[in-house]
Amino acid sequence: MFSDFLGMLALNVAPDSAATASNACFTWTRTLAPGATGNDVTQLQIRVSGWVDTGETLDVDGIYGPATAAAVRRFKAGYGLQNTTGTAGPETFALIYSLQDDDCTPAHFSYAEFTGGCGQTGFSGGAVPAATVRQNLLLVMWQLEALRHKLGDRPIVVTSGFRSVSCNRQVGGAPDSLHLYGRAADLGLSSRPTQCQLWRTARTCGFKELLGPGYPGHDDHVHVGNRETQFWRAPSC
């Protein structure tokens, strides 16, 4: 599953024993291990949400349980860290800081990529408040960052992110589309990986909704999203 991991990152930081580094977006002030709870656990879960096993989804609930520990282990191994325990300390946080911008988005994705289409300039007019859309998109972006890295750090192009109700209607989206909530993204043909590479690898990134080639209306993109129950379809893959 992790044979395609490239771009390993060497970090000259202390072992995962106590949190010391800081960051403009969010600063962890303690080492996190199974049993920990709180907003700092939630922030960690968002950033490792794409490092699950095939078909799994990490609950972003602020509770550091076995699934979070497993995701942390995969995250650290995926970037070549020597300490691959399920504990998150300064080495883990330094890696996260190196991967994110000051608004908490991962370095290779931005909110601006998810506002395009229908003349939209923000996140209003959807099924939930704009602040909720932004939070939902942050999770999607970190899952996409994991997908990008697992594919050898090859660029991924987002062709559709958030849609207002009117925009969704204009493009013929489903009335209950995850795009209305900021919980989905469409990945275009100009992405460096092939559609089937995107779809197959996305199965290890925590997405419950995956649609690709061969599924009606999806021969020109791969759709990834976060829903309650699993729905994967790509007959041509």
Side-chain angles (χ1 to χ4, degrees):
M1 162 179 164
F2 295 106
S3 60
D4 290 336
F5 288 174
L6 300 175
M8 290 186 176
L9 194 61
L11 298 172
N12 183 22
V13 295
D16 274 351
S17 57
T20 56
S22 63
N23 183 257
C25 163
F26 181 85
T27 299
W28 283 270
T29 59
R30 58 170 178 161
T31 292
L32 298 177
T37 61
N39 181 54
D40 50 0
V41 176
T42 299
Q43 294 296 325
L44 174 66
Q45 289 171 328
I46 290 170
R47 289 153 179 80
V48 301
S49 57
W51 294 89
V52 294
D53 204 353
T54 302
E56 292 182 347
T57 300
L58 181 63
D59 289 333
V60 181
D61 57 7
I63 302 172
Y64 204 119
T68 298
V72 168
R73 285 194 294 269
R74 293 188 184 98
F75 173 71
K76 293 197 285 189
Y79 282 95
L81 299 188
Q82 296 301 308
N83 179 350
T84 57
T85 66
T87 298
E91 187 178 37
T92 305
F93 302 139
L95 173 57
I96 292 173
Y97 297 152
S98 75
L99 293 173
Q100 73 181 12
D101 292 325
D102 288 347
D103 63 353
C104 295
T105 60
H108 298 103
F109 296 93
S110 69
Y111 283 114
E113 294 178 74
F114 294 82
T115 60
C118 308
Q120 297 174 157
T121 58
F123 299 115
S124 299
V128 292
T132 302
V133 171
R134 290 177 66 89
Q135 189 63 28
N136 290 341
L137 284 174
L138 186 63
L139 178 63
V140 171
M141 280 189 267
W142 279 101
Q143 290 170 295
L144 290 176
E145 185 73 16
L147 174 61
R148 189 184 191 279
H149 190 61
K150 293 175 185 182
L151 288 166
D153 290 317
R154 287 179 286 177
I156 293 174
V157 177
V158 177
T159 59
S160 182
F162 167 72
R163 297 176 193 158
S164 65
V165 172
S166 60
C167 179
N168 189 62
R169 188 181 303 116
Q170 181 178 329
V171 301
D176 59 347
S177 171
L178 294 178
H179 289 281
L180 295 166
Y181 301 82
R183 295 171 63 186
D186 292 344
L187 314 179
L189 294 179
S190 57
S191 298
R192 295 288 180 84
T194 68
Q195 282 180 279
C196 286
Q197 285 176 318
L198 286 168
W199 188 84
R200 291 192 186 103
T201 308
R203 295 178 299 177
T204 71
C205 297
F207 295 110
K208 283 285 185 74
E209 186 166 89
L210 291 172
L211 305 174
Y215 186 77
H218 289 75
D219 286 336
D220 62 349
H221 69 280
V222 171
H223 170 90
V224 299
N226 293 317
R227 53 179 284 164
E228 297 302 321
T229 58
Q230 189 179 99
F231 188 73
W232 293 355
R233 298 290 187 276
S236 297
C237 292

